[in-house]
Amino acid sequence: MAAIKVGRQLVARDPDHCDIPYYVSEFVEREIGNDRNSLTKLGMLIAELSENKRQLEEQVLTVSSEVPKRIQNALKNAEDSNKTLSQLLEEETLLSESIDNHLLKAQPWMEALGVLISQIEEMERHLAYLKWISRIEELSDNIQQYLMTNNVPEAATTLASMAELDIKLQESSCSHLLSFVRSTVQFWHKILKDKLSSDFEEILTQLHWPFIGPPQSQVFGLAAPGSAPDVYNNLETLFSQLLKLQTSDELITKPKQLPEKYSLPSSPSIILPMQIMLNPLQKRFRYHFTGNRQTNVLSKPEWYLTQVLMWIGNHTKFLDEKIQPILDKAGYSVNARLEFSRALVMLILEKLATDIPCLLYDDNLLCHLVDEVLLFERELYTVHGYLSTFPSCMHILSEETCFQRWLTVERKFALQKMDSMLSSETAWISQYKDISDVDEMKVPGCAETFMTLLFVITDRYKNLPTASRKLQFLELQKDLVDDFRIRLTQVMKEETRASLGFRYCAILNAVNYIATVLSDWADNVFFLQLQQAALEVCADSNALSKLQLGQLASMESSVFDDMINLLERLKHDMLTRQVDHVFREVKDAARLYRKERWLSLPSQAEQAVMSLSSTACPMLLTLRDRLLQLEQQLCHSLFKIFWQMLVEKVDMFIYQEIILANYFNEGGAAQLQFDMSRNLFPLFSHYCKRPENYFKHIKEACIILNLNIGSALLLKDVLESASENGTILNPNQPSATAALNELGVYKLAQQDVEILLNLKTNWPNTGK
């Protein structure tokens, strides 16, 4: 509904049924309104509206004349495009027919040309085949010519080129060509190798190779010292020429491989001149340590292991000074000493692979073999710089059958050792008991021997080639720790009645020492690496929860956490038992002190000198004796935990059973404070600087009980006011808390202080 204002009346108009359109009436109302004088504007309005009408009509005429032209242009463009498309389609049809006709006519030519191309390709293959044969024959003829003129270096170089051709043809399907190349290479390789090897061995003989004695006794075997330069020049020449045969030697000679079950890392073949140098040593080794020789004894693996180490040591100087420069000059990135060691170690591996099955089920022989192999490996790595990436004896010991037997034997001998160490007369005596600087942990002999055993086991398996094998040994160590903990628990239970005795304390020291060492090991790089390996294994097998995996990954836990937690629990239980025992003795000794007549004791002014209450002597003597005893028997860290646990109990006992259970006059309060501050607290001054801070209940109770009357009355009024107004918990009005803190009272609550104030009997008579 629209409303039109006429005079002071509102006339309702329906815009849908009104004769005058709504927007017209709105326009008139807006321009003229109720003012009659506004009628003078009508002329101007009519003129303005007429002009607007004229402009609109012109625009309509312009648009109505332009639109048909645009439509006509669009239609014309569409017709032109249609004609062009039709022409293109006609041309495409003609072109397609022309192409089809051409292909039909060219088909015979294509077939004939395809036959010719196939023939050409076949001829090219034949030609390439003949070129390869020609090239190989050319190289073969060159080698023959060089040998006829005794030009061995060039012959060796040419053979190396022929071997490279053999390598290039490896992917070819021409089996006859491959066979021809390989047989040619093999033919000339044998001739050159035999010739050079013969000359090389002659030079080595002049040098008295191999060197059997130690380096200081070696004289490089030259009858005439003046000829030494010539011999070394010949050595370098022949060594370099043999190096050129290395490629062909690798193609022809397949190195002897141990079975795959040993999982040896891949390694290149020993260089050819080094193989020739090693031949006499390999013959000696096989002569002495195989077959029915007296030197081939299963129970004496140290014989051949020591022999190999001696050979390596005897030849190190010569290899470093004479052979390594030749290799460097030839551009070979080979270490002569390591190459020599690697070849001799392979002899050891073959020997171990043969011997181990024969002694696998003899525990003593197997254990002795492992011991000797580990000693051999240690010297090989530390003294001779052998690399961990090379095949080693640990790969042989890691073979499944041998490894499981090794684990079994380790467990068996470890358990036997544990039996003997616990049954020893010195099991619970520290080896360093007379050396105070060394004996801080007061470690009994059995615990130190056990941790030494674990350390030795770690040292034995840390060089195993795979993480999975190391983890199996780690599980063995954890089992041994748990077994030892159970044994300690059993012995501890036998000593429960004498929880302050020497053996009980020794067991507690042992538990603490083992837990401490395991905690230190948890931060060792080796065990951190094992933790990472264990994390990967558990993640693959879903053996742990996401929380446990996260803790392992973030290093919040360690591989020994389970064992450490069990040991810490045992330690806490044993300490608690000791604390309870001493606390019972203290309570028994304090029976008379609890019955002291605190209500009627003379004041401090009535006594010439304050002295300790006679009834407190038994309690304090008991405390002193037990503290001295356990300080001598427990290590420092354990004793600290012990006396702090004991102090907590004594503090609560005296506070609850003596202070809160009695009333105190001025003399009684002063006597209590003297007994505590001058006698009880000093007992612990040797262990900490401010022992009173560990007796907070006693200390603060003595402060309250010894307040003078005025201070006590003021404090009582403050506490009562705070209780009535409920402002004790209001942080804006901490009057009660501030008053207590000002007196040095922080531990006791307001209610406790009110109880203590009520225990004072020397209040003035106020008539209340």
PDB file of all heavy atoms in Angstrom, residues 721-731 733-735:
ATOM      1  N   SER A 721      40.847 -14.213  64.166  1.00  0.00           N
ATOM      2  CA  SER A 721      40.190 -13.242  63.286  1.00  0.00           C
ATOM      3  C   SER A 721      40.102 -13.783  61.865  1.00  0.00           C
ATOM      4  O   SER A 721      39.077 -13.657  61.192  1.00  0.00           O
ATOM      5  CB  SER A 721      40.957 -11.925  63.309  1.00  0.00           C
ATOM      6  OG  SER A 721      40.406 -11.015  62.389  1.00  0.00           O
ATOM      7  N   ALA A 722      41.198 -14.400  61.418  1.00  0.00           N
ATOM      8  CA  ALA A 722      41.201 -14.952  60.060  1.00  0.00           C
ATOM      9  C   ALA A 722      40.195 -16.088  59.925  1.00  0.00           C
ATOM     10  O   ALA A 722      39.518 -16.230  58.909  1.00  0.00           O
ATOM     11  CB  ALA A 722      42.602 -15.441  59.698  1.00  0.00           C
ATOM     12  N   SER A 723      40.070 -16.901  60.968  1.00  0.00           N
ATOM     13  CA  SER A 723      39.114 -18.013  60.929  1.00  0.00           C
ATOM     14  C   SER A 723      37.687 -17.508  60.916  1.00  0.00           C
ATOM     15  O   SER A 723      36.825 -18.012  60.188  1.00  0.00           O
ATOM     16  CB  SER A 723      39.336 -18.938  62.124  1.00  0.00           C
ATOM     17  OG  SER A 723      40.616 -19.497  62.087  1.00  0.00           O
ATOM     18  N   GLU A 724      37.407 -16.472  61.728  1.00  0.00           N
ATOM     19  CA  GLU A 724      36.039 -15.943  61.798  1.00  0.00           C
ATOM     20  C   GLU A 724      35.644 -15.248  60.499  1.00  0.00           C
ATOM     21  O   GLU A 724      34.526 -15.383  60.017  1.00  0.00           O
ATOM     22  CB  GLU A 724      35.924 -14.964  62.972  1.00  0.00           C
ATOM     23  CG  GLU A 724      36.044 -15.641  64.328  1.00  0.00           C
ATOM     24  CD  GLU A 724      36.109 -14.633  65.462  1.00  0.00           C
ATOM     25  OE1 GLU A 724      36.060 -13.414  65.151  1.00  0.00           O
ATOM     26  OE2 GLU A 724      36.214 -15.052  66.633  1.00  0.00           O
ATOM     27  N   ASN A 725      36.589 -14.486  59.909  1.00  0.00           N
ATOM     28  CA  ASN A 725      36.265 -13.724  58.701  1.00  0.00           C
ATOM     29  C   ASN A 725      36.441 -14.539  57.424  1.00  0.00           C
ATOM     30  O   ASN A 725      36.070 -14.083  56.346  1.00  0.00           O
ATOM     31  CB  ASN A 725      37.143 -12.470  58.617  1.00  0.00           C
ATOM     32  CG  ASN A 725      36.883 -11.549  59.795  1.00  0.00           C
ATOM     33  OD1 ASN A 725      35.768 -11.503  60.313  1.00  0.00           O
ATOM     34  ND2 ASN A 725      37.914 -10.820  60.222  1.00  0.00           N
ATOM     35  N   GLY A 726      37.053 -15.719  57.582  1.00  0.00           N
ATOM     36  CA  GLY A 726      37.262 -16.577  56.401  1.00  0.00           C
ATOM     37  C   GLY A 726      38.216 -15.990  55.392  1.00  0.00           C
ATOM     38  O   GLY A 726      38.085 -16.232  54.198  1.00  0.00           O
ATOM     39  N   THR A 727      39.146 -15.194  55.831  1.00  0.00           N
ATOM     40  CA  THR A 727      40.076 -14.543  54.897  1.00  0.00           C
ATOM     41  C   THR A 727      41.404 -15.270  54.781  1.00  0.00           C
ATOM     42  O   THR A 727      42.323 -14.795  54.123  1.00  0.00           O
ATOM     43  CB  THR A 727      40.361 -13.113  55.368  1.00  0.00           C
ATOM     44  OG1 THR A 727      40.899 -13.160  56.693  1.00  0.00           O
ATOM     45  CG2 THR A 727      39.094 -12.285  55.357  1.00  0.00           C
ATOM     46  N   ILE A 728      41.472 -16.434  55.400  1.00  0.00           N
ATOM     47  CA  ILE A 728      42.766 -17.144  55.356  1.00  0.00           C
ATOM     48  C   ILE A 728      43.132 -17.569  53.938  1.00  0.00           C
ATOM     49  O   ILE A 728      44.284 -17.662  53.569  1.00  0.00           O
ATOM     50  CB  ILE A 728      42.721 -18.370  56.301  1.00  0.00           C
ATOM     51  CG1 ILE A 728      44.109 -18.995  56.426  1.00  0.00           C
ATOM     52  CG2 ILE A 728      41.720 -19.385  55.791  1.00  0.00           C
ATOM     53  CD1 ILE A 728      45.090 -18.136  57.121  1.00  0.00           C
ATOM     54  N   LEU A 729      42.079 -17.784  53.092  1.00  0.00           N
ATOM     55  CA  LEU A 729      42.342 -18.211  51.724  1.00  0.00           C
ATOM     56  C   LEU A 729      42.265 -17.061  50.741  1.00  0.00           C
ATOM     57  O   LEU A 729      42.336 -17.252  49.546  1.00  0.00           O
ATOM     58  CB  LEU A 729      41.347 -19.311  51.311  1.00  0.00           C
ATOM     59  CG  LEU A 729      41.410 -20.596  52.132  1.00  0.00           C
ATOM     60  CD1 LEU A 729      40.334 -21.565  51.679  1.00  0.00           C
ATOM     61  CD2 LEU A 729      42.785 -21.233  52.034  1.00  0.00           C
ATOM     62  N   ASN A 730      42.021 -15.857  51.287  1.00  0.00           N
ATOM     63  CA  ASN A 730      41.894 -14.693  50.427  1.00  0.00           C
ATOM     64  C   ASN A 730      43.279 -14.100  50.171  1.00  0.00           C
ATOM     65  O   ASN A 730      43.922 -13.599  51.096  1.00  0.00           O
ATOM     66  CB  ASN A 730      40.996 -13.653  51.093  1.00  0.00           C
ATOM     67  CG  ASN A 730      40.650 -12.519  50.141  1.00  0.00           C
ATOM     68  OD1 ASN A 730      41.305 -12.339  49.115  1.00  0.00           O
ATOM     69  ND2 ASN A 730      39.622 -11.754  50.493  1.00  0.00           N
ATOM     70  N   PRO A 731      43.749 -14.114  48.950  1.00  0.00           N
ATOM     71  CA  PRO A 731      45.106 -13.620  48.686  1.00  0.00           C
ATOM     72  C   PRO A 731      45.252 -12.132  48.894  1.00  0.00           C
ATOM     73  O   PRO A 731      46.356 -11.619  49.025  1.00  0.00           O
ATOM     74  CB  PRO A 731      45.340 -14.011  47.221  1.00  0.00           C
ATOM     75  CG  PRO A 731      43.963 -14.144  46.633  1.00  0.00           C
ATOM     76  CD  PRO A 731      43.089 -14.619  47.745  1.00  0.00           C
ATOM     77  N   GLN A 733      44.134 -10.515  51.504  1.00  0.00           N
ATOM     78  CA  GLN A 733      44.304 -10.250  52.933  1.00  0.00           C
ATOM     79  C   GLN A 733      45.057 -11.406  53.592  1.00  0.00           C
ATOM     80  O   GLN A 733      44.486 -12.177  54.352  1.00  0.00           O
ATOM     81  CB  GLN A 733      42.941 -10.048  53.609  1.00  0.00           C
ATOM     82  CG  GLN A 733      42.155  -8.851  53.060  1.00  0.00           C
ATOM     83  CD  GLN A 733      40.798  -8.722  53.705  1.00  0.00           C
ATOM     84  OE1 GLN A 733      40.403  -9.571  54.501  1.00  0.00           O
ATOM     85  NE2 GLN A 733      40.077  -7.667  53.381  1.00  0.00           N
ATOM     86  N   PRO A 734      46.323 -11.559  53.244  1.00  0.00           N
ATOM     87  CA  PRO A 734      47.086 -12.706  53.768  1.00  0.00           C
ATOM     88  C   PRO A 734      47.654 -12.432  55.150  1.00  0.00           C
ATOM     89  O   PRO A 734      48.828 -12.704  55.412  1.00  0.00           O
ATOM     90  CB  PRO A 734      48.190 -12.865  52.732  1.00  0.00           C
ATOM     91  CG  PRO A 734      48.443 -11.476  52.266  1.00  0.00           C
ATOM     92  CD  PRO A 734      47.144 -10.734  52.362  1.00  0.00           C
ATOM     93  N   SER A 735      46.861 -11.879  56.046  1.00  0.00           N
ATOM     94  CA  SER A 735      47.400 -11.483  57.348  1.00  0.00           C
ATOM     95  C   SER A 735      47.873 -12.682  58.152  1.00  0.00           C
ATOM     96  O   SER A 735      48.942 -12.644  58.763  1.00  0.00           O
ATOM     97  CB  SER A 735      46.340 -10.694  58.126  1.00  0.00           C
ATOM     98  OG  SER A 735      45.149 -11.461  58.252  1.00  0.00           O
TER      99      SER A 735
END
